[in-house]
Amino acid sequence: MTATSTPLQRSGAPALRFSNVSMVFPDGTHALAETSFDVFPGEFVTVVGPSGCGKSTLLRIASGLNPATSGSVTVDRSSLGYVFQDATLLQWRNVLRNVELMAELEGIPKAERRKRAQAAIDLVGLTGAEGKFPKQLSGGMKMRASLARSLVLDPSVFLFDEPFGAVDEITRERLNDEVISLFQRNGFAGLFITHSISEAVFLSTRVLVMSARPGHIVADFNVPFDYPRSPELRFDPAFAELSGRISHELRGAHS
Amino acid sequence: MSMAAGSGGLGMTPPGTALEMVGPSPRAKRKFELSRFIGPPIVLLVFVAIWQYMHVSGMRKFFDKPGFLLPSPFTVVNESFGHALARDKLLNGVKWTAVVSLIGLSFTIVVGMLLAVIMAQARWAERAFYPYLVALQAVPILAIVPIILSVFGTGLLPRLFVCAMIAFFPIVTNTLFGLQSADVGQHDLFTLRGANRWTRLWKLQVPAALPAVFTGFRISAGLSVIGAIVGEQFFRGGSKPGIGIVMESYRQKAIYPQVYGGIILGSALGIAFFLIFGWLGRRVVGNWYEASGRS
Ligand SMILES: Nc1ncnc2c1ncn2[C@@H]1O[C@H](COP(=O)(O)OP(=O)(O)OP(=O)(O)O)[C@@H](O)[C@H]1O
Ligand SMILES: [Mg+2]
């Protein structure tokens, strides 16, 4: 467990803290081993790691969907956003009513949640598609709706589980821009999972590398680029250099 | 400011490109409509032709039976619906059968769906009820006629009971299947916000179940007609004659055309129910439901 650099902007209490979290599934699968790290408000932390190393499990434990076998997670779950890998929209609700869902479950009055849903829809660029049903949406539009649905509660901690794995490169870059502007605008603490190193570096203030199963953090990279980040950043030599180092760690993690 | 940049990027996506890919092209649609209207009459024509042939010479040739046992389709229509006496008798019969099956079906729907909701609440509840559901499906009506008679006596009730018994299974199994069809990720959403059982039921499981529920309705609607007719056969007294009893009385007098007329009316009733529930289902879930496979 080597921390290769110290993050810059950490202050106060962490928004999300993993302390020695281990996870063994009932069937004996050892998914996480003694994982510890913090995400502070205003930090955007991305986790990369081999497939099956326990990244999704990490988020499920953070959100309370699964309890950890041992160790503890400290987080305010009343204000938690969670974007799943699949859009998981309700087929029988149109975009507006889907985006309203979380607010509805939270018991927010109709007029208020309508207003918030509409604002979130406008923010993710789905204006005009409010009345469409999920079957009428493309993959990218579904992900946007899913993103908007989480935004409605204006979460202070935002979990993303490989949300853009299934969309094409250009759409993914656009959605990345979108996430960055949301991050800058709302200032949440972000924990993002991806398989793409360039996506990780482009979005984050920090990139964590996880080992193969049982997963734990093996490297911690600070990403020094300023926000807002322009698409050209992806071709910056410093960007390539950092990506190279992460890639190297990741290859080590696979073995 | 940076937000504007992001939105600008998104704004470049031509709206509606993905939407136009959804659904069949207009041409495919037109072809489909045409086949829908032309197909059934052609099949009917072939069917009537074979029927007429069987009446004229087929019965004799293949089965060595007289042709009058299978009257010509024209005779059937003429004798059954051409004369006021027979027509009124048959129509009144089918009307009463329709009433009985509708009452039986409504009862079945209410009780069946309630049972399915209970069974969907816990694995053990499902396990506890399922064997009896299968048993109910398997038990021959004939075997329990004496029991039904002793419990309900004569009249409308025993007929309704038989009707409900026959129509029950598909309602319960389809509703249960539907309630369990919401996917794990959707359940996770509700878990995240700490939704209780009722919220989950009303906002997730019930809407997710609707397509399957309507499939159940459609199947059970047809079965309820069969159930009503079967019920009439066993419990004749104490209530008005339905189409089954009317047919039986014609058969006893060896008047065959009206028997076939009754069959036509009985099937028409079943088809009408099937179509009504199919239409209703499309009205309710057609907007959002995407049938898997070709539609
Ligand atoms: N409910 C479960 N029961 C048993 N094993 C599980 C369960 N959920 C996940 N696992 C196992 O735990 C390990 C970690 O799973 P997880 O989904 O967290 O991986 P991941 O890092 O997200 O992988 P990917 O990158 O492919 O999404 C895997 O080996 C998986 O098979
Ligand atoms: Mg995963």
Side-chain angles (χ1 to χ4, degrees), chain A residues 25 27 29 31 50-57 162 195 213:
Chain A
F25 284 103
D27 66 356
T29 308
S51 189
C53 72
K55 302 182 296 295
S56 298
T57 305
E162 273 185 66
H195 275 125
R213 210 180 65 220

Side-chain angles (χ1 to χ4, degrees), chain B residues 92-117:
Chain B
N92 282 332
V94 83
K95 249 189 257 168
W96 189 238
T97 301
V99 170
V100 172
S101 21
L102 271 182
I103 300 175
L105 183 64
S106 319
F107 173 80
T108 309
I109 286 176
V110 172
V111 176
M113 288 183 69
L114 273 178
L115 179 61
V117 167

Side-chain angles (χ1 to χ4, degrees), chain A residues 38-81:
Chain A
D38 295 336
V39 182
F40 283 82
E43 262 194 318
F44 198 106
V45 176
T46 295
V47 178
V48 293
S51 189
C53 72
K55 302 182 296 295
S56 298
T57 305
L58 206 61
L59 295 197
R60 292 183 65 85
I61 291 174
S63 67
L65 285 176
N66 285 21
T69 311
S70 68
S72 67
V73 175
T74 317
V75 63
D76 175 10
R77 294 214 174 99
S78 69
S79 178
L80 189 90

Side-chain angles (χ1 to χ4, degrees), chain B residues 34-165:
Chain B
L34 207 66
S35 67
R36 185 166 143 186
F37 290 116
I38 276 187
I42 289 179
V43 173
L44 182 68
L45 220 66
V46 172
F47 179 74
V48 169
I50 294 176
W51 183 353
Q52 175 70 4
Y53 167 78
M54 290 303 288
H55 165 69
V56 174
S57 54
M59 285 294 279
R60 177 66 62 207
K61 213 162 165 178
F62 300 124
F63 303 110
D64 201 21
K65 290 265 164 57
F68 76 83
L69 285 178
L70 180 63
S72 149
F74 307 103
T75 316
V76 166
V77 172
N78 196 37
E79 297 284 311
S80 307
F81 310 116
H83 305 288
L85 189 70
R87 186 176 57 219
D88 287 352
K89 235 177 164 177
L90 286 167
L91 282 181
N92 282 332
V94 83
K95 249 189 257 168
W96 189 238
T97 301
V99 170
V100 172
S101 21
L102 271 182
I103 300 175
L105 183 64
S106 319
F107 173 80
T108 309
I109 286 176
V110 172
V111 176
M113 288 183 69
L114 273 178
L115 179 61
V117 167
I118 293 170
M119 287 170 76
Q121 295 310 304
R123 245 321 131 187
W124 67 262
E126 185 185 340
R127 289 216 185 95
F129 282 110
Y130 217 92
Y132 302 103
L133 216 56
V134 175
L136 186 71
Q137 170 82 344
V139 73
I141 304 282
L142 188 60
I144 58 167
V145 163
I147 302 176
I148 301 177
L149 196 67
S150 63
V151 174
F152 295 107
T154 56
L156 194 55
L157 272 181
R159 293 190 196 176
L160 287 175
F161 183 81
V162 173
C163 172
M165 231 180 108

Side-chain angles (χ1 to χ4, degrees), chain A residues 104 106 132 136 144 178, chain B residues 10 19 186 188 193 203:
Chain A
E104 191 177 323
E106 210 56 19
K132 303 251 184 280
Q136 300 170 294
R144 282 188 193 137
E178 200 58 34
Chain B
L10 290 168
L19 305 181
Q186 294 174 339
D188 282 345
R193 301 267 47 102
K203 294 192 193 266

Side-chain angles (χ1 to χ4, degrees), chain A residues 53-185:
Chain A
C53 72
K55 302 182 296 295
S56 298
T57 305
L58 206 61
L59 295 197
R60 292 183 65 85
I61 291 174
S63 67
L65 285 176
N66 285 21
T69 311
S70 68
S72 67
V73 175
T74 317
V75 63
D76 175 10
R77 294 214 174 99
S78 69
S79 178
L80 189 90
Y82 193 161
V83 183
F84 296 122
Q85 179 157 7
D86 305 316
T88 59
L89 301 175
L90 306 182
Q91 311 86 287
W92 52 91
R93 288 182 173 226
N94 61 24
V95 167
L96 181 64
R97 303 245 301 120
N98 259 295
V99 171
E100 268 183 62
L101 180 73
M102 291 319 221
E104 191 177 323
L105 294 178
E106 210 56 19
I108 293 169
K110 189 160 189 153
E112 168 67 13
R113 66 178 191 246
R114 270 283 134 92
K115 209 178 79 198
R116 289 204 206 173
Q118 189 59 56
I121 286 169
D122 295 342
L123 212 56
V124 300
L126 274 182
T127 316
E130 290 87 351
K132 303 251 184 280
F133 287 94
K135 73 167 181 185
Q136 300 170 294
L137 303 177
S138 67
M141 291 165 94
K142 283 183 194 160
M143 269 340 287
R144 282 188 193 137
S146 166
L147 198 60
R149 179 177 60 194
S150 301
L151 273 173
V152 162
L153 292 181
D154 193 15
S156 57
V157 178
F158 223 133
L159 311 174
F160 302 86
D161 191 356
E162 273 185 66
F164 311 137
V167 298
D168 68 89
E169 187 77 16
I170 300 297
T171 308
R172 176 190 275 226
E173 286 182 8
R174 282 191 186 140
L175 290 164
N176 284 349
D177 289 341
E178 200 58 34
V179 168
I180 286 188
S181 53
L182 290 173
F183 173 58
Q184 279 197 277
R185 181 172 174 276

